[in-house]
Amino acid sequence: AQSQARGADDGRAVYRLKDIQWQEPATGRVREVKIVTQNENGPCPLIALVNVLQLAGVLQIVGSRRTITDAELTGMLADQLFQQDAGSPAVAEKDVSAALSLLPTLSEGLDVDLQFAHIYDFGDSGHVQLFRAFGVDLVHGWVVDADGEADVAAVLAAECRNSYEGAVEYILACDEASQGAVVGGHAGELDARQQRAVASARLLSAWLERTATQLTDSGLRMLGAMLPDNRLCVLFRNNHFSTLYRRGPGELFVLCTDDAVAGDARIVWESLRDVHQATSQFFDSQFALLSSKSDDYVQAGAQRRDASVDEQEAAQIDEDYALALRLHEQEEQERQRRGQQPSGGSALQVRQQDRMPPGMQVREHGQLYGVPEVSREGETRLARA
């Protein structure tokens, strides 16, 4: 993952803005919205939440500006919490308190423990309360098929609290008790109870490997059928938070916020049609299909972005953003000169790679985000990246 550019004076993150058109489903009115784009994993919950609230008409970034900082975004969210109208739906005081406590660190990421029974199921924590405080649904599609995968569902329910964190703990606890029979594959002398536990843990590990995209066919069907029409929400998938729009039955679209297409006004939405996104397509702001291949648009967008960065003073980039990019490059060069690891960072990846069971392997590129860091004793901690 590329590192987000940061301001020169206080280390704040700087995000590029992209102008899109959004047609309000209820009124049909078309308005301009400045969505926030990103080029690293860390700030994705902040960006996804702000973009949902902008499309919903709750927040608005105004003016001709082309960048915004994380401090400004969190300030907007804090102001919204304090300025909620008396006539708006009641929000639990504990949710507001949790949201206010999390806002200062929201750009660094969020820890969530999703649960495999339903698209709305997450471990109840302050991180989930954050979305509730703003009236935004947090959903996922990593759902076990209770009928077609009844054996996996039974292990998850009986041994793992139906949660990802519980599954990690169970697999490693069984591996530890069996001296490496689950993860390491080194089976020693096991009694009948241990053999059953190892078999269950291997079954669960294999399922996690098959569903490594954190989206299942069952979960995709649920998202397409159970979300209301014209619903905006935040989707957690592939260790990433995205803005999701359910337009109609089975019509799921993810807002394109990658910095590689920030300069291309045509690319606004990407369809979500299968668990690997092998059949996904790009759409414009009116949900008209773009005729060229998706890869061609991404490559062209990346080339335009790189060209604008090289020009430094081009109209697409604010002066402070260009300066931040140059400072970041100097920092990386200094790290390389000293023989240090780049700030994109793989030490966390290597540490977790050694400890992860099959199916929970670190991706080849990019930082880990929201994935439990696991010890051999079965302890877990959701790692921030």
Side-chain angles (χ1 to χ4, degrees):
Q2 297 174 334
S3 295
Q4 186 70 38
R6 295 190 175 267
D9 40 26
D10 59 2
R12 69 190 187 280
V14 180
Y15 311 130
R16 297 179 66 187
L17 300 174
K18 177 179 179 177
D19 293 317
I20 70 166
Q21 288 189 328
W22 168 250
Q23 185 174 23
E24 296 180 349
T27 64
R29 182 172 70 93
V30 177
R31 57 185 174 86
E32 297 289 332
V33 176
K34 290 183 177 295
I35 64 170
V36 186
T37 68
Q38 71 177 90
N39 62 4
E40 69 174 9
N41 271 350
C44 62
L46 173 64
I47 290 173
L49 180 58
V50 168
N51 285 335
V52 166
L53 294 175
Q54 284 204 98
L55 293 173
V58 177
L59 295 180
Q60 184 180 13
I61 299 174
V62 297
S64 59
R65 62 187 306 166
R66 301 187 186 277
T67 63
I68 195 166
T69 67
D70 54 354
E72 290 174 304
L73 292 176
T74 54
M76 291 172 60
L77 292 174
D79 289 343
Q80 174 58 30
L81 284 178
F82 286 121
Q83 296 174 6
Q84 290 189 43
D85 295 333
S88 63
V91 178
E93 183 177 348
K94 66 176 183 178
D95 291 343
V96 174
S97 298
L100 289 173
S101 66
L102 284 171
L103 285 180
T105 60
L106 187 56
S107 62
E108 300 172 10
L110 284 182
D111 299 342
V112 294
D113 181 25
L114 62 81
Q115 298 175 334
F116 299 113
H118 200 278
I119 60 173
Y120 291 105
D121 284 354
F122 290 86
D124 194 14
S125 68
H127 305 134
V128 178
Q129 291 171 329
L130 171 72
F131 295 94
R132 285 204 298 257
F134 289 98
V136 173
D137 288 332
L138 175 64
V139 298
H140 70 88
W142 204 358
V143 178
V144 64
D145 187 342
D147 295 324
E149 300 168 317
D151 48 357
V152 176
V155 175
L156 287 170
E159 306 291 349
C160 309
R161 309 184 303 277
N162 256 332
S163 77
Y164 180 58
E165 189 170 332
V168 174
E169 293 172 348
Y170 179 71
I171 290 172
L172 290 186
C174 290
D175 186 66
E176 189 74 21
S178 63
Q179 299 180 344
V182 179
V183 177
H186 308 296
E189 292 293 330
L190 304 176
D191 58 29
R193 182 186 60 81
Q194 290 175 319
Q195 289 177 9
R196 288 193 298 271
V198 167
S200 296
R202 286 175 173 171
L203 176 72
L204 187 55
S205 183
W207 181 78
L208 290 171
E209 184 173 4
R210 291 197 306 273
T211 60
T213 62
Q214 298 177 359
L215 180 67
T216 63
D217 290 327
S218 179
L220 187 60
R221 288 193 298 269
M222 276 192 179
L223 289 169
M226 301 187 70
L227 290 174
D229 289 349
N230 299 312
R231 175 58 61 91
L232 289 160
C233 57
V234 173
L235 172 69
F236 181 77
R237 183 206 173 203
N238 263 347
N239 305 323
H240 184 74
F241 295 84
S242 304
T243 298
L244 179 70
Y245 179 52
R246 196 267 199 181
R247 195 178 184 209
E251 291 185 300
L252 299 172
F253 297 91
V254 177
L255 186 65
C256 296
T257 59
D258 194 294
D259 188 69
V261 295
D264 194 329
R266 298 169 299 172
I267 304 175
V268 179
W269 299 98
E270 183 179 7
S271 60
L272 181 59
R273 302 169 59 185
D274 64 85
V275 298
H276 299 289
Q277 285 188 277
T279 60
S280 66
Q281 297 171 301
F282 283 146
F283 294 78
D284 66 14
S285 60
Q286 302 301 313
F287 296 95
L289 176 64
L290 299 177
S291 56
S292 297
K293 294 181 180 180
S294 297
D295 289 344
D296 294 339
Y297 278 105
V298 172
Q299 183 176 5
Q303 291 172 348
R304 278 189 292 274
R305 177 201 63 193
D306 293 341
S308 66
V309 170
D310 292 338
E311 293 169 1
Q312 295 180 359
E313 300 298 330
Q316 289 84 0
I317 298 182
D318 284 348
E319 184 177 349
D320 61 341
Y321 187 80
L323 174 61
L325 284 173
R326 293 196 298 273
L327 291 173
H328 173 72
E329 290 172 358
Q330 292 172 7
E331 178 184 345
E332 292 300 308
Q333 291 173 1
E334 180 64 18
R335 285 177 176 270
Q336 293 176 6
R337 186 183 68 81
R338 296 179 180 177
Q340 296 178 358
Q341 186 171 305
S343 62
S346 61
L348 175 62
Q349 295 176 352
V350 172
R351 187 165 70 251
Q352 294 196 131
Q353 185 78 28
D354 292 340
R355 296 170 176 173
M356 282 289 182
M360 303 183 208
Q361 301 302 313
V362 178
R363 303 296 188 271
E364 181 179 356
H365 301 291
Q367 293 177 314
L368 284 173
Y369 184 81
V371 176
E373 182 180 2
V374 186
S375 71
R376 294 298 303 170
E377 290 73 26
E379 297 173 347
T380 62
R381 179 178 63 82
L382 285 175
R384 295 175 180 235

